[in-house]
Structure formats: structure tokens, C-alpha cells
Amino acid sequence: EDGAGSEGLGLRVSGATADAAQLKEAARLLGLTAREFAALIGGGHSLGQMHAERSGYSGAWTAEPGRLSNDFFVALLTERWEEVPRGEASQFKAIGKELYMMKSDMLLRTDAELAAIAQEYAADRDLFLDDFAAAWTRIMNADRFQGPAGSVCGEDGSYPLV
């Protein structure tokens, strides 16, 4: 059937995503549970900061970007946030601090299922780190090349340049 296997091509998740169902669907299409997706978001956001030239957003999620920790979840749940304009979009800023979140991050605070996961991670650094390591390993070892058309990689594992 025309279009078979392309169910996820139109689905895009960005910092402006304000729908928890869309976020969870993106996780499902990646073969991840909501818990694994939350762990990967928290890990990625604890290790970096937003880059306006690429995303339209700027600022750090944590006070120590570059350090893998559960600080993203702690800040998300304990800070008070105000929505601030950012070009055509908006993001959230912690009141009195230079910490920032995107609308999609706030879903981890407002959606019941995602908030329960975020609360666990905020309360237990070791649980977060263990779950992040497992989710990272899973996504890095996922076979994304054995779809209906077969593998796009060569016998030697190389990926052809187009």
C-alpha cells in the first residue's frame, strides 16, 4: 500500500510541542517507553543547553550544564516558572534564576504519567542514572535499518552517502 511504513514521517517533536500525546507517540515510534524517553530527555538536557541558532531557544536547563545528573528534573519540579517570549515562540524561565525550559519540557511536569516519572527521577539520582544508561544503551543498539525495504547499510555496515 502506498505510504506503508511512513506513519512517523510527519510527526515532529520540538521545544514548542505542547501535547503530551504527541510526545508519547514520538517515543513509541522510536520504540521507547515513556520512562525511557523521559530519561533520555533528562540526560540530554542535563548535559547541554539550548542553541538559538538551531532551535530558536536559548539558555541552560540546569545550573551545571555538562554534568550528567538528575538536576533537570529537580529544577523542573521545584522552580517556579514564567513564560517568556522568545522570538516567534516562547519558553519558560525560572523566576530569579537563569534556568530555562521549553513547552515540551513542561509536559514532564503537567502530564500525570510523565510527572510521576519526573518525580521519581528528581527524588532518586541513582535511579535516574541507571535508567538513563539503560535507555541510552537501548537506543544506541536499536536496529533502525531492517524495515520493509531491508537494510540500507552495506554488508560492511557502512551507510551510503546520498
Side-chain angles (χ1 to χ4, degrees):
E1 175 179 298
D2 190 13
S6 62
E7 65 182 275
L9 293 178
L11 182 64
R12 296 287 181 259
V13 176
S14 72
T17 300
D19 180 1
Q22 186 178 2
L23 197 65
K24 291 175 189 179
E25 178 65 2
R28 185 191 72 76
L29 290 172
L30 289 170
L32 299 169
T33 65
R35 183 176 203 85
E36 290 167 329
F37 201 54
L40 291 171
I41 290 169
H45 290 186
S46 75
L47 288 172
Q49 59 186 11
M50 298 170 234
H51 300 280
E53 65 278 4
R54 288 191 303 220
S55 68
Y57 300 96
S58 63
W61 288 278
T62 67
E64 293 185 70
R67 183 176 79 96
L68 182 59
S69 70
N70 65 338
D71 291 351
F72 166 80
F73 295 105
V74 173
L76 177 69
L77 298 175
T78 61
E79 298 297 337
R80 291 183 346 168
W81 300 95
E82 62 183 348
E83 194 165 1
V84 295
R86 180 71 69 190
E88 293 181 23
S90 64
Q91 66 186 98
F92 292 83
K93 181 183 182 302
I95 295 174
K97 296 186 179 173
E98 290 300 313
L99 299 177
Y100 296 88
M101 297 284 169
M102 298 179 292
K103 284 184 180 181
S104 57
D105 298 324
M106 291 309 218
L107 296 173
L108 292 161
R109 181 179 167 134
T110 58
D111 177 80
E113 178 185 12
L114 297 173
I117 296 165
Q119 288 168 4
E120 284 184 67
Y121 290 157
D124 190 335
R125 178 184 157 276
D126 290 337
L127 173 65
F128 163 69
L129 292 174
D130 288 346
D131 283 3
F132 174 78
W136 180 260
T137 300
R138 181 163 183 221
I139 197 82
M140 289 296 105
N141 290 312
D143 184 354
R144 300 284 178 230
F145 302 104
Q146 290 299 331
S151 179
V152 296
C153 292
E155 293 290 323
D156 63 353
S158 64
Y159 189 79
L161 296 175
V162 185

